[in-house]
Amino acid sequence: MLIRSLSGRLLLLTAAFVMLIEGLFFAPSVVSFRENYLRERLDRAQIASLALLATPDDMVTPELEQELLKTAEVLNIVLQRDEARVLILAQPAPRPIDATYDLRTESAFAQWRHAGRVLLLGGDRVIRVIGMPVNGGGDAIEATLEEHRLREAMIAYALRILAMSALIALLTGLLIWSALRRFLVRPMTRVIENMRRFSEDPEDPDRVIRPGSGIAEIAEAEKTLAGLETELRSALRQKARLAAMGEGLAKVSHDLRNLLTTAQLLADRLEGSADPRVARVGPKIIRSLDRAAALCASTLDFGKAEEPAPVIRTKRELACMSATVRAPV
């Protein structure tokens, strides 16, 4: 029932349109998330390298080194300074590096391609990411990390975006549905209910709708409907009066016809009168009585007449009928 109603269909369409719009921004947001994720790992790697470089002999305990790499979520960190590549922190990699991504020169097309590859086909690869250190911390910074962590983060982000989009679509649809019910469906329901009540007793003046909507279009429809109902009531009253007059006229005609019949029987005797003046007047009286009786009969027949039902014809059929009538015999 909800799908068949106007407000229910608008609710579904609103939710679908919001999801469609959110879908247009879904892919760019996932691509942007991948880039931000990798840059954040490089920033963490730079912070870890600064912690190491702050020690007197650039040495830390193995436990602290593992803690720094774990915090940065990378396998090793390489810092390029003064045209030299220095391995700052490292731990044994599970396998050789499978791919390298340089965020300094990566094009937009490459970002989309790499993000799609990670999200759809990402696995257990080991990747190297190269970026520019912040605040002039060197010429470049490199970090090696496991790709499956990036893919897991991208999937979690995508699911959050989808859930948020569905929630926004649902809330937007509910708000529009509520507004539509309040400002459109209820006034229309009032008009429909009035039409139903008016059809049950059109002659009741209390059932004529009284315009009271605050919406201009609905108010105009109510005014038009009130005018139509008023005109229909007037037509029904006039029809009832005409029907009463016709019934009375039929009764008068019937009684008059009976009187005329009696008069005709009496007038027939005038034709055989011995008085010549009466014999001359008799036929005239009979003809007048016959015309009066015929008029009464035609009046009674008119009250019983019924018009035939209209026949719907196409333009081609009417043209053929007209051509047949005009054709010479």
Side-chain angles (χ1 to χ4, degrees):
M1 190 64 182
L2 179 63
I3 299 179
R4 296 182 60 184
S5 63
L6 177 62
S7 56
R9 291 185 178 184
L10 184 61
L11 171 62
L12 297 179
L13 287 176
T14 302
F17 288 154
V18 172
M19 290 297 294
L20 178 61
I21 295 175
E22 291 287 346
L24 296 178
F25 294 96
F26 174 76
S29 63
V30 172
V31 174
S32 177
F33 174 81
R34 168 192 171 271
E35 182 180 3
N36 294 333
Y37 179 91
L38 296 178
R39 291 190 182 278
E40 183 180 356
R41 297 306 172 275
L42 291 178
D43 293 341
R44 292 183 181 183
Q46 184 178 358
I47 294 174
S49 64
L50 292 176
L52 177 64
L53 295 176
T55 58
D57 53 356
D58 295 344
M59 294 293 293
V60 295
T61 62
E63 291 78 9
L64 180 57
E65 182 177 5
Q66 294 299 318
E67 186 69 22
L68 291 173
L69 291 174
K70 183 178 180 181
T71 303
E73 297 183 1
V74 296
L75 300 177
N76 58 56
I77 303 171
V78 175
L79 184 63
Q80 297 183 17
R81 302 179 66 179
D82 301 329
E83 299 182 356
R85 297 177 71 254
V86 180
L87 181 62
I88 303 299
L89 296 172
Q91 64 177 344
R95 62 181 57 82
I97 296 175
D98 298 302
T100 299
Y101 301 111
D102 192 346
L103 301 183
R104 299 171 300 176
T105 59
E106 193 175 42
S107 63
F109 175 77
Q111 292 178 1
W112 280 72
R113 181 165 54 85
H114 296 159
R117 199 271 175 204
V118 172
L119 188 62
L120 300 177
L121 303 175
D124 297 331
R125 298 194 311 170
V126 175
I127 61 175
R128 177 193 292 119
V129 182
I130 304 175
M132 182 66 66
V134 297
N135 298 327
D139 299 330
I141 186 170
E142 303 177 9
T144 304
L145 60 147
E146 296 175 313
E147 191 180 51
H148 72 87
R149 294 181 178 273
L150 171 61
R151 185 171 185 269
E152 292 172 359
M154 292 177 65
I155 292 177
Y157 174 78
L159 293 178
R160 290 196 302 270
I161 292 296
L162 292 176
M164 185 178 298
S165 301
L167 180 60
I168 293 175
L170 180 60
L171 292 178
T172 304
L174 288 176
L175 290 176
I176 295 179
W177 178 80
S178 301
L180 185 65
R181 291 280 300 179
R182 172 66 178 82
F183 297 108
L184 185 59
V185 175
R186 288 183 181 178
M188 290 179 61
T189 303
R190 176 175 176 268
V191 173
I192 295 172
E193 182 62 25
N194 172 264
M195 295 171 64
R196 184 181 298 110
R197 291 180 64 253
F198 182 81
S199 64
E200 295 174 355
D201 188 5
E203 297 183 1
D204 187 359
D206 294 333
R207 302 200 177 193
V208 176
I209 191 171
R210 294 178 175 82
S213 177
I215 304 175
E217 292 79 4
I218 300 297
E220 185 65 25
E222 291 177 345
K223 291 179 181 178
T224 304
L225 179 60
L228 292 176
E229 291 177 346
T230 303
E231 292 179 2
L232 179 59
R233 285 188 63 253
S234 300
L236 291 175
R237 288 199 303 269
Q238 184 178 4
K239 180 180 179 181
R241 288 195 299 268
L242 292 176
M245 292 176 59
E247 184 178 358
L249 180 60
K251 292 180 180 179
V252 172
S253 299
H254 183 270
D255 295 339
L256 181 60
R257 184 179 182 182
N258 293 333
L259 296 174
L260 291 174
T261 302
T262 303
Q264 283 177 327
L265 294 176
L266 296 175
D268 288 339
R269 298 180 180 180
L270 297 177
E271 293 181 342
S273 176
D275 189 345
R277 290 180 299 178
V278 175
R280 289 195 304 270
V281 175
K284 296 180 180 180
I285 295 175
I286 292 174
R287 287 195 297 270
S288 298
L289 292 175
D290 289 339
R291 288 196 298 269
L295 178 61
C296 292
S298 62
T299 302
L300 292 174
D301 293 337
F302 177 78
K304 299 177 181 179
E306 294 183 359
E307 295 184 359
V311 179
I312 301 177
R313 301 183 184 275
T314 62
K315 292 183 178 180
R316 179 175 298 178
E317 292 175 345
L318 293 176
C320 293
M321 294 175 59
S322 177
T324 302
V325 172
R326 296 178 182 177
V329 180

